[in-house]
Amino acid sequence: MISKAGLGSRTEARSWIGAGRVSVNRRVIQDPDHWVDMERDKVLFDGKPLVKKEPIYLMLYKPKGYLTTYKDPENRPTVYDLLRDVGTFVVPVGRLDLDTSGLLLLTNDTQFAERIMNPEFHVAKRYLVKANRLLTDDELGRLRDGLELDDGPTRPATVKRIRDSEKYTHFEITITEGRNRQVRRMVEALGATVLKLVRVAIGPLGIGGLEVGKWRYLEPAERDRLGPQRNLARKASTRLT
Ligand code: URA
């Protein structure tokens, strides 16, 4: 509930709860796994009522070299360094690898995030790829039909050759899963590697003219096109974190 209220990450919420800064119905609760009923329980943080913030949805053009995590033990740049002016804690909707750039959605609506990430919903993610060599039509066909990875076969994908330079193939691929390093592993399964990977769209939402490293709020209609409204099956109870 603390992260839903936009105050901070779940990890931060755990430490605040442990430090005795949170009370539920006037009793200090130090168990981060305590459940609360958001409608009936009175939760105070440092003595002030916790109110659920309005949901926000934004898109970031993640640059290469930024991690999709909140904190990095090695102090490398993270996407949160680019979101300092957002003012509410948001979670990424899925991840992009350190070396991948492009469209990253972030929100404080955790149910929405879970839905978009759930492979059952088959939300399409479109990527531009530069391979380290020329790829044959047959090889692009293997990406399209699905190939075997160590965590199972990939679903059929949409693949379009964009252009070949003297040494490299540039192509577009749309996948409906979001497994770890999936596009890179698919290209590696062909015996090639990815030199550049950019996510350009999630479902109907494209990166458009957003500049690298910048973010903007989604328009209500853009958010609606991504999936059903929140509150459809919203549970009243949630973890205190
Ligand atoms: N596939 C990858 O290999 N990396 C990403 O960041 C996203 C999709």
Side-chain angles (χ1 to χ4, degrees):
M1 179 160 189
I2 294 172
S3 54
K4 285 200 173 93
L7 289 178
S9 68
R10 281 207 128 129
T11 314
E12 286 173 317
R14 290 186 94 84
S15 81
W16 295 331
I17 294 163
R21 295 172 69 181
V22 179
S23 68
V24 180
N25 303 328
R26 297 180 183 279
R27 202 158 56 91
V28 171
I29 298 290
Q30 285 180 285
D31 171 13
D33 293 322
H34 187 86
W35 283 75
V36 283
D37 181 322
M38 292 187 281
E39 268 129 45
R40 272 184 281 177
D41 290 328
K42 191 157 181 220
V43 181
L44 301 184
F45 179 69
D46 285 346
K48 290 191 213 99
L50 209 60
V51 276
K52 214 147 53 59
K53 286 234 168 115
E54 275 305 297
I56 61 166
Y57 306 89
L58 54 94
M59 62 155 81
L60 169 73
Y61 196 138
K62 176 196 167 307
K64 193 177 149 171
Y66 281 73
L67 289 163
T68 314
T69 48
Y70 183 53
K71 278 212 169 93
D72 178 44
E74 295 171 37
N75 270 325
R76 288 171 293 180
T78 80
V79 293
Y80 289 93
D81 296 330
L82 304 167
L83 298 169
R84 294 232 170 87
D85 44 346
V86 173
T88 294
F89 186 72
V90 285
V91 292
V93 180
R95 278 165 184 256
L96 289 176
D97 298 336
L98 179 67
D99 285 336
T100 304
S101 59
L103 176 57
L104 186 66
L105 297 178
L106 296 112
T107 180
N108 58 355
D109 180 350
T110 45
Q111 283 197 335
F112 169 84
E114 279 158 25
R115 213 167 38 232
I116 300 286
M117 284 187 280
N118 188 334
E120 302 248 313
F121 286 90
H122 289 243
V123 176
K125 290 118 199 158
R126 194 161 81 236
Y127 297 87
L128 295 179
V129 189
K130 177 182 178 186
N132 71 329
R133 63 168 171 79
L134 292 169
L135 299 178
T136 62
D137 285 346
D138 195 47
E139 287 174 317
L140 293 185
R142 288 179 60 202
L143 297 176
R144 192 175 292 124
D145 295 344
L147 36 72
E148 196 63 38
L149 297 181
D150 54 13
D151 52 358
T154 60
R155 281 186 192 148
T158 308
V159 178
K160 270 191 244 161
R161 186 187 300 277
I162 296 175
R163 71 187 164 89
D164 284 348
S165 64
E166 210 178 305
K167 291 206 246 160
Y168 310 114
T169 290
H170 297 252
F171 68 96
E172 188 186 272
I173 183 166
T174 305
I175 57 173
T176 57
E177 305 162 274
R179 297 195 230 161
N180 189 29
R181 297 186 66 258
Q182 182 166 341
V183 175
R184 291 176 197 277
R185 289 191 293 135
M186 288 172 77
V187 173
E188 283 158 19
L190 303 175
T193 54
V194 167
L195 293 182
K196 189 170 179 191
L197 186 60
V198 185
R199 181 155 68 193
V200 290
I202 296 178
L205 198 66
I207 192 88
L210 193 62
E211 278 174 54
V212 179
K214 301 283 191 227
W215 68 270
R216 70 163 176 85
Y217 290 111
L218 298 193
E219 305 285 340
E222 290 178 323
R223 187 255 167 263
D224 292 348
R225 281 206 299 276
L226 280 167
Q229 289 299 312
R230 62 191 265 128
N231 292 332
L232 278 185
R234 180 161 281 286
K235 293 177 291 188
S237 60
T238 186
R239 256 178 234 282
L240 193 50
T241 52

